[in-house]
Amino acid sequence: MRSLVTPLVLAALCAVVVPVTAQPADWGDLPDAHTDLDVYEADSSAAAVVLFDVGEARITNQLDIELERHRRVKLFSEAGYDQATISILTFRGSEDISGVRGQTFVPDGEGGYRRVKMDRDAIFRERVGDDRERITFTLPALAPGAIVEYRYRVNSESLLLFPTWYFQDDIPVLHSEFEALIPRTFSYVRANQGTLPFDIETSDQVNHFAGQATKHRWVRTDVPALREEPFMTTLEDYVHKIEFQLAEYGIPGYGIEKVMNTWEQLAEDLDDHTRFGGTLRSSRALRRQVEELTADQADPASKMAALYDYVRTAIRHDGRRGVFTSGSLNSIMEDRSGTAADVNLLLLQLLREADIEAIPVLLSTRDYGLVQTAYPLVNQFNYVVVLATVGDASYWLDATDPMRPLGLLPADALAGIGWVPDEENPMWVRVDARSPAKRSVSFEGDLDGSGTLTASLRVRAESYDAVWMRRAIEESSPEAFMRDYLSDVPGLVLDSAHVKDLHDLNAPLDVYAYVHIPDYAQTAGDLLFFNPVPLDRYLENPFTSPERYFPVDFNYPRTHRLTALLRLPDGFALDEMPDPVRLSFGQQAASYRCQLAEQGGQLVVRRTVNRDATSVDPSDYADLRAYYDRMVSADDQMVVLKRAAPAAEADTGTGDED
């Protein structure tokens, strides 16, 4: 876990795979499969590829953990040189690295390779914080086509620090293999993360100094690179890895020693903790504050709203996260500032003082990583929010943002699940968005015969869209916000902007603007061409990778509506207009509707984009990608106007009659 395991590899994301034969080799031995590889055909853009990465971890007769690692990488181009710089983070005092060796095999220009050993002076050690040390080294003589390899040994005095093994990297991995030798007297809970199966997974019983032991072996081959993709959480949530947590161990003659708590025990420990459960106690100052704030409130819902608004506006969040308070609730209220735990646990206790049912819920935010429910460890969590119940309704509360209304969690807190540390009944609860982000645009404009569009518009936002818009406007101005919001419209000039209900969080946020867009329509002889969707078009498909091996995570539902009324220029008539478009993905998981109509010299555009799905399985990725392609095409259609022919003049001649 985060504070217990040594990160050995920086992970990243997925691509496409075609099997390539590559097996581990002895130190310095170069098989033809390694030297002849000039490009990885399954991912021809890869600047380097891991030929093999082999690790062996064991518990020794000194009751420590020893890891030996041997890794070899082929560099295809200069862009892959960063793979030759290695950084290893360890715990000072409990872990030690030894036996670091490295070498580079450089093409000699005649079909062979010359070996360049890494000098020991290339190894650097630096202290990181109070309890960490970083070892860094760079392999020498880098060149396109070079092969670099290194190995080292890590000894850990703590049985808690059994290493996590990453089978995936930000470049393709041809062969990754991990062996773990664990005596049967040691019980480790193991968590495997990854969507693809192992090529080899075996467990054999062998002799050990402590009696019988299990030798585990896992092998993955042709592992695609893990790269940043749109609509995902942290990379650590998707990388293929195995991690271990010591649950209990036994030493002959001394019995069994339990190491890992149960969730019930952890809940009890948190209730006794001086900066968690011990903080949630009644006090005269808290009761007095509640009495003042709720004196004019007749029902529990109004009291909850008054207490939430007080904490939201009076207690400043200092930007820090965590699940433990920094001091007493009285001091937090006096200082009017605190961490997220300070703010939300103060709100929790104020609600309880008002006889409103409220419980804490611990979360791991989206950028912190998935919670492993098999590991009852508090350091998996980095955030705490409040779940309040009034009558038959429940409300998510987080008072850290003065621009966030009651009932709306931070987008980063929508982590799927949260844990309630109740002593008698600890439980997992679903944590997701209860209202979609909503944005509607009303656009009314006049198009003249030269192609200039002059218009007024209103952008109305609710829920998550209103939160980020309010914050952006508060930090700058309505004009600056609208310039940024409209920046995708070529040539647009913002004439003015103003906002309504900026601080009324219970009302939709309205932003008004006046704009003009020279050359909005293009002229060609008697024709005038223009796109009928003036704002919020899909200009490109965000999903560029042909395949994806982990879910698409949209976080929360979203609805966008556009209503545009465009008055057509005098002397022009409608010549071509796109047909109505109706698109959908899945069982109405997402939909797109766009319809145009002419009404008395005006073009009316109604467009709605709706997405109810918050997560899309990798098996549906191809369909999702195709759906976005169709939306881009639909938003790229044009309206054509044609100049009306002038009326023919009457014949007034006096020619002779036949």
Side-chain angles (χ1 to χ4, degrees):
M1 302 310 301
R2 292 178 184 84
S3 66
L4 296 179
V5 292
T6 304
L8 299 178
V9 183
L10 282 176
L13 314 208
C14 284
V16 187
V17 291
V18 172
V20 173
T21 301
Q23 295 292 328
D26 291 337
W27 179 257
D29 181 29
L30 293 183
D32 292 342
H34 294 179
T35 58
D36 294 345
L37 186 64
D38 295 324
V39 66
Y40 183 53
E41 293 182 0
D43 185 357
S44 58
S45 65
V49 65
V50 178
L51 297 171
F52 63 80
D53 194 7
V54 176
E56 299 179 14
R58 65 187 69 86
I59 296 177
T60 71
N61 55 9
Q62 283 79 36
L63 292 182
D64 61 7
I65 298 173
E66 182 178 88
L67 168 71
E68 292 187 3
R69 186 183 184 196
H70 181 194
R71 179 178 169 102
R72 181 177 289 178
V73 179
K74 181 72 174 281
L75 309 179
F76 295 135
S77 67
E78 293 183 5
Y81 286 3
D82 59 339
Q83 298 295 326
T85 296
I86 317 304
S87 180
I88 308 164
L89 200 61
T90 64
F91 286 93
R92 296 181 67 251
S94 57
E95 289 183 306
D96 179 63
I97 288 187
S98 61
V100 179
R101 295 181 62 188
Q103 57 189 0
T104 302
F105 295 91
V106 186
D108 61 10
E110 299 178 358
Y113 285 80
R114 60 184 179 87
R115 182 172 66 173
V116 181
K117 293 183 178 180
M118 181 182 71
D119 193 277
R120 297 202 57 82
D121 292 339
I123 303 172
F124 300 94
R125 296 176 182 260
E126 62 176 329
R127 189 167 176 171
V128 180
D130 295 331
D131 61 350
R132 295 294 188 99
E133 184 177 62
R134 179 182 288 116
I135 290 86
T136 305
F137 55 91
T138 299
L139 282 305
L142 304 182
I147 297 172
V148 297
E149 73 172 334
Y150 60 90
R151 64 185 183 186
Y152 60 82
R153 181 184 302 108
V154 179
N155 285 88
S156 173
E157 298 177 0
S158 173
L159 294 171
L160 297 174
L161 296 177
F162 206 93
T164 295
W165 186 259
Y166 293 87
F167 295 88
Q168 199 165 25
D169 209 327
D170 58 355
I171 59 174
V173 179
L174 302 190
H175 184 103
S176 183
E177 177 176 340
F178 185 60
E179 288 188 359
L181 181 63
I182 302 175
R184 296 178 63 182
T185 51
F186 293 83
S187 176
Y188 283 87
V189 176
R190 187 172 72 244
N192 173 36
Q193 178 177 287
T195 59
L196 300 176
F198 289 107
D199 297 283
I200 300 174
E201 183 176 6
T202 61
S203 297
D204 299 316
Q205 301 303 310
V206 298
N207 291 324
H208 191 268
F209 77 94
Q212 287 291 304
T214 303
K215 185 177 183 180
H216 303 277
R217 181 172 179 251
W218 299 273
V219 177
R220 275 294 317 274
T221 60
D222 297 293
V223 187
L226 197 63
R227 300 192 181 99
E228 193 73 46
E229 297 277 357
F231 300 107
M232 62 182 299
T233 57
T234 176
L235 302 185
E236 192 71 16
D237 288 349
Y238 307 103
V239 63
H240 194 172
K241 65 180 179 179
I242 289 182
E243 53 187 352
F244 303 80
Q245 174 61 41
L246 182 63
E248 62 182 31
Y249 65 92
I251 300 176
Y254 292 91
I256 300 295
E257 180 73 23
K258 289 188 176 295
V259 176
M260 190 166 66
N261 280 338
T262 62
W263 288 109
E264 291 76 11
Q265 182 61 51
L266 181 57
E268 184 177 334
D269 292 345
L270 284 172
D271 186 67
D272 293 336
H273 199 289
T274 57
R275 293 194 292 121
F276 193 83
T279 303
L280 299 174
R281 300 290 185 262
S282 180
S283 73
R284 182 179 303 175
L286 294 177
R287 290 194 299 271
R288 186 185 307 115
Q289 187 69 62
V290 169
E291 290 171 359
E292 293 176 0
L293 293 169
T294 62
D296 298 329
Q297 312 303 326
D299 59 273
S302 298
K303 292 180 179 180
M304 175 180 64
L307 295 173
Y308 174 79
D309 286 342
Y310 161 72
V311 177
R312 173 180 63 84
T313 57
I315 311 299
R316 183 185 64 84
H317 177 214
D318 63 12
R320 292 181 294 165
R321 296 178 175 178
V323 299
F324 298 109
T325 63
S326 60
S328 70
L329 298 184
N330 286 345
S331 65
I332 294 163
M333 197 163 56
E334 291 174 3
D335 295 340
R336 304 176 71 84
S337 175
T339 67
D342 292 336
V343 172
N344 288 331
L345 292 181
L346 172 62
L347 173 62
L348 173 70
Q349 188 57 35
L350 291 175
L351 293 169
R352 289 178 173 178
E353 298 285 356
D355 295 323
I356 296 172
E357 181 182 344
I359 56 176
V361 180
L362 304 189
L363 307 171
S364 172
T365 55
R366 293 166 61 83
D367 60 352
Y368 195 62
L370 292 173
V371 172
Q372 296 287 355
T373 58
Y375 297 164
L377 300 171
V378 72
N379 66 354
Q380 292 194 90
F381 305 102
N382 70 327
Y383 208 71
V384 58
V385 297
V386 178
L387 183 60
T389 302
V390 175
D392 295 331
S394 61
Y395 302 84
W396 287 114
L397 303 178
D398 180 296
T400 58
D401 186 347
M403 294 294 181
R404 186 182 305 116
L406 183 148
L408 201 68
L409 287 179
D412 196 39
L414 301 176
I417 60 171
W419 183 61
V420 179
D422 183 88
E423 276 190 281
E424 298 181 358
N425 185 30
M427 70 182 83
W428 295 96
V429 293
R430 186 71 190 169
V431 183
D432 50 20
R434 295 189 175 181
S435 63
K438 296 180 180 180
R439 186 160 77 242
S440 61
V441 177
S442 300
F443 190 97
E444 184 173 348
D446 294 277
L447 184 66
D448 67 22
S450 69
T452 296
L453 178 63
T454 303
S456 63
L457 64 99
R458 184 201 68 186
V459 180
R460 168 166 286 187
E462 300 176 61
S463 184
Y464 286 99
D465 277 8
V467 172
W468 72 261
M469 285 175 60
R470 281 189 166 100
R471 186 181 299 113
I473 293 170
E474 184 77 5
E475 292 174 353
S476 55
S477 67
E479 292 81 4
F481 168 78
M482 288 304 292
R483 285 193 186 93
D484 183 64
Y485 178 74
L486 301 170
S487 61
D488 286 340
V489 182
L492 182 142
V493 178
L494 177 68
D495 298 315
S496 65
H498 66 279
V499 63
K500 179 184 177 183
D501 295 323
L502 178 62
H503 296 103
D504 184 358
L505 304 191
N506 295 317
L509 173 68
D510 288 328
V511 187
Y512 298 86
Y514 293 90
V515 303
H516 67 277
I517 312 172
D519 300 322
Y520 180 76
Q522 305 300 310
T523 59
D526 290 337
L527 301 179
L528 205 59
F529 303 82
F530 66 92
N531 190 299
V533 181
L535 302 177
D536 290 338
R537 293 181 214 155
Y538 281 94
L539 300 176
E540 60 184 19
N541 190 337
F543 302 105
T544 57
S545 296
E547 294 186 68
R548 183 156 168 157
Y549 297 94
F550 49 88
V552 175
D553 190 327
F554 287 117
N555 201 0
Y556 47 77
R558 178 181 292 278
T559 297
H560 281 177
R561 289 187 174 88
L562 168 71
T563 302
L565 189 153
L566 304 177
R567 285 179 283 271
L568 305 180
D570 293 337
F572 282 82
L574 190 64
D575 188 58
E576 294 181 21
M577 183 171 65
D579 293 329
V581 178
R582 298 174 64 89
L583 306 173
S584 63
F585 164 72
Q587 298 297 318
Q588 296 302 311
S591 62
Y592 172 101
R593 304 286 185 270
C594 188
Q595 186 169 5
L596 282 68
E598 183 187 15
Q599 299 176 357
Q602 300 179 134
L603 185 67
V604 180
V605 183
R606 292 183 175 89
R607 175 180 174 274
T608 301
V609 182
N610 187 68
R611 189 189 68 230
D612 291 331
T614 58
S615 181
V616 177
D617 191 82
S619 61
D620 296 320
Y621 175 72
D623 290 340
L624 178 69
R625 189 167 178 245
Y627 167 72
Y628 271 82
D629 277 338
R630 293 194 295 271
M631 285 198 295
V632 171
S633 296
D635 276 354
D636 197 38
Q637 298 188 82
M638 303 292 282
V639 167
V640 181
L641 305 180
K642 187 173 183 180
R643 190 184 303 274
E649 295 183 4
D651 188 359
T652 59
T654 58
D656 295 337
E657 295 181 2
D658 292 337

